[in-house]
């Protein structure tokens, strides 16, 4: 009864995000998120990795106390995401800017995340700073079948290294096989135009992975998530990933990008020079939009930007509350707000 009441309240509260009529029936939700956790490093100087900035003897004075403080803060955020929709919050969340598997495991073993039993998928990538992407999930809601990591290479740039793209396939809520791709595209360092071709290449890699899934099964249920370092309207996303703002246009392999409407409303996940960007996105294949061929379908999207995640005062009031500004420790969370989507399926009284 408590779950039913929570679910009903959640569906009413997000009705505005759903373009169709609310059916007179009960639904079961699943929440899937993404979070760039901003430099989640351990305190050890690892040979061959440019991580000395996050060590006790660096100007940042990154130490065990600060590390565990950040873990507690991130665990709070992830633990609250989607908790108004589902009592156990996020079934799955992709992460960016994690140094290694150990820090991801430490995060999964912190606070409410430990209580929920999150497990980890992680690969080391060739990024020179040692930052990777990863995925954590609750095994009782998501059964991992397989996973793989893909490296982005640029033919005329042999010394170019960036984060790998991670794909994890599994069964969601004992019903649907879904594919989750986690990415962190190359930055805009040097300027958006000068670095654009790198993000276009990252988009093409992601698109190739998804095309291989769709060639095998045109109704493949795919979620492509990440810090794309581009907005939903940029060429890398629109053309590279072949994304659409409207659900009805997400056909013949094109992806639906629910973040584009949020972007046009002025909602962002990070701010730079008084301008909001929405780099953190989750895009969906056609089958997850229509529900065809499976149980779950898309219901809504959110940027999780609770007041405690925002800078409270000063010239950057309202911006994401960061862990550091330069070498000055501020004790915040991340320079990005996290995002998540809500999927729903009809309640089957006969099923577990």
């Amino acid at each position: 009864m408590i779950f039913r009441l929570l679910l009903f309240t959640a569906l009413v509260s997000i009705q505005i995000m759903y373009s169709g009529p609310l059916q007179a029936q009960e639904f079961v939700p699943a929440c899937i998120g993404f979070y760039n956790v901003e430099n989640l490093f351990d305190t050890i100087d690892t040979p061959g990795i440019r991580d000395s900035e996050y060590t006790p003897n660096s100007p940042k004075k990154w130490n065990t106390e600060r590390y565990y403080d950040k873990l507690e803060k991130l665990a709070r955020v992830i633990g609250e995401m989607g908790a108004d929709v589902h009592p156990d919050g996020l079934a799955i969340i992709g992460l960016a800017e994690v140094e290694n598997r150990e820090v991801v495991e430490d995060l999964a073993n912190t606070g409410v995340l430990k209580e929920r039993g999150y497990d980890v998928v992680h690969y080391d990538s060739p990024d020179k700073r040692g930052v990777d992407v990863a995925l954590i999930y609750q095994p009782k809601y998501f059964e991992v079948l397989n996973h793989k990591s893909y490296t982005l290479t640029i033919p005329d740039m042999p010394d170019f290294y960036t984060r790998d793209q991670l794909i994890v396939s599994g069964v969601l809520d004992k019903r649907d096989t879904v594919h989750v791709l986690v990415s962190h595209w190359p930055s805009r360092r040097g300027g958006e135009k000068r670095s654009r071709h790198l993000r276009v290449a990252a988009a093409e890699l992601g698109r190739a992975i998804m095309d291989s899934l769709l060639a095998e099964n045109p109704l493949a249920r795919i979620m492509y998530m990440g810090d794309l370092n581009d907005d939903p309207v940029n060429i890398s996303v629109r053309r590279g990933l072949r994304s659409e703002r409207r659900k009805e246009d997400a056909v013949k392999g094109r992806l639906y990008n629910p973040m584009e409407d949020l972007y046009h409303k002025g909602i962002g996940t990070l701010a730079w020079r008084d301008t909001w960007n929405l780099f953190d996105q989750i895009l969906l294949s056609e089958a997850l939009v229509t529900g065809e061929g499976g149980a779950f379908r898309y219901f809504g999207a959110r940027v999780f930007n609770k007041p405690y995640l925002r800078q409270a005062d000063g010239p950057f009031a309202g911006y994401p509350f960061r862990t550091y500004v330069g070498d000055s420790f501020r004790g915040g969370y991340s320079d990005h707000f996290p995002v998540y989507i809500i999927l729903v399926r009809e309640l089957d009284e006969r099923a577990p």
Side-chain angles (χ1 to χ4, degrees):
M1 183 63 68
I2 294 175
F3 176 77
R4 298 280 182 84
L5 177 62
L6 177 65
L7 177 57
F8 174 77
T9 304
L11 291 181
V12 171
S13 70
I14 62 177
Q15 187 174 3
I16 192 172
M17 297 187 295
Y18 178 52
S19 61
L22 190 64
Q23 301 297 317
Q25 59 208 49
E26 291 179 293
F27 294 88
V28 176
C31 298
I32 292 91
F34 173 79
Y35 196 7
N36 180 327
V37 294
E38 190 194 18
N39 296 320
L40 182 57
F41 282 86
D42 60 28
T43 62
I44 302 167
D45 189 358
T46 305
I49 299 296
R50 297 178 183 173
D51 62 350
S52 59
E53 181 182 10
Y54 285 89
T55 55
N57 294 324
S58 72
K60 281 185 166 60
K61 296 180 172 59
W62 183 242
N63 57 29
T64 300
E65 180 182 358
R66 291 179 174 183
Y67 173 65
Y68 281 106
D69 177 72
K70 186 174 177 78
L71 289 176
E72 293 283 351
K73 286 183 165 70
L74 296 176
R76 175 190 177 184
V77 177
I78 296 170
E80 291 183 5
M81 290 171 65
D84 60 336
V85 176
H86 192 290
D88 283 334
L90 300 174
I92 303 167
I93 180 167
L95 304 172
E97 292 199 13
V98 295
E99 183 183 10
N100 49 45
R101 183 182 182 90
E102 287 72 24
V103 301
V104 183
E105 289 178 342
D106 283 349
L107 177 59
N109 284 311
T110 298
V112 70
L113 305 189
K114 181 177 182 179
E115 297 172 16
R116 293 178 184 168
Y118 280 91
D119 208 343
V120 172
V121 179
H122 169 271
Y123 288 82
D124 286 316
S125 67
D127 181 85
K128 292 181 179 179
R129 292 181 63 238
V131 293
D132 311 320
V133 298
L135 182 138
I136 63 174
Y137 63 95
Q138 296 188 59
K140 64 180 174 179
Y141 299 117
F142 184 61
E143 177 190 357
V144 171
L145 298 177
N146 51 66
H147 45 79
K148 186 176 180 180
S149 188
Y150 290 83
T151 298
L152 176 64
T153 58
I154 308 296
D156 59 347
M157 298 178 65
D159 295 328
F160 172 78
Y161 300 99
T162 190
R163 283 75 57 174
D164 286 349
Q165 297 193 28
L166 171 66
I167 178 171
V168 183
S169 301
V171 180
L172 181 63
D173 209 13
K174 297 181 173 62
R175 284 162 177 80
D176 289 356
T177 297
V178 299
H179 310 279
V180 184
L181 284 86
V182 188
S183 59
H184 184 188
W185 289 1
S187 75
R188 291 186 169 193
R189 183 173 299 173
E192 187 275 327
K193 290 184 179 180
R194 291 184 61 186
S195 59
R196 180 184 300 163
H197 68 289
L198 300 176
R199 290 182 297 283
V200 169
E204 291 171 347
L205 173 61
R207 187 68 238 190
I209 298 168
M210 290 184 284
D211 284 344
S212 67
L213 295 170
L214 292 167
E216 183 176 338
N217 176 12
L219 295 179
R221 308 169 78 75
I222 305 169
M223 291 169 272
Y224 190 92
M225 64 174 63
D227 173 1
L228 308 186
N229 273 305
D230 268 337
D231 290 312
V233 296
N234 288 127
I235 188 172
S236 59
V237 182
R238 279 274 188 83
R239 295 187 188 178
L241 289 180
R242 296 173 57 206
S243 72
E244 296 290 346
R245 180 179 180 181
R246 302 192 311 165
K247 294 179 184 177
E248 54 266 36
D249 294 330
V251 296
K252 297 181 179 179
R254 303 191 72 84
L255 304 178
Y256 171 57
N257 191 348
M259 304 301 173
E260 188 165 346
D261 266 344
L262 298 178
Y263 174 77
H264 285 289
K265 292 175 183 176
I267 299 172
T269 56
L270 72 160
W272 172 252
R273 295 181 178 177
D274 296 326
T275 299
W276 281 96
N277 294 103
L278 211 167
F279 289 173
D280 305 272
Q281 302 171 48
I282 305 176
L283 298 88
L284 309 170
S285 64
E286 180 182 0
L288 275 175
V289 178
T290 64
E292 186 179 0
F296 282 98
R297 58 183 170 84
Y298 169 76
F299 196 94
R302 290 179 175 177
V303 173
F304 190 78
N305 56 4
K306 292 289 185 70
Y308 71 83
L309 288 173
R310 307 176 206 160
Q311 181 71 35
D313 49 29
F316 302 110
Y319 284 28
F321 182 24
R322 306 181 58 168
T323 306
Y324 283 91
V325 176
D327 290 331
S328 175
F329 181 71
R330 300 301 175 88
Y333 298 78
S334 172
D335 57 349
H336 290 244
F337 294 139
V339 297
Y340 67 98
I341 61 166
I342 303 158
L343 305 178
V344 294
R345 64 172 175 84
E346 293 181 11
L347 178 67
D348 184 353
E349 296 283 4
R350 297 164 298 178

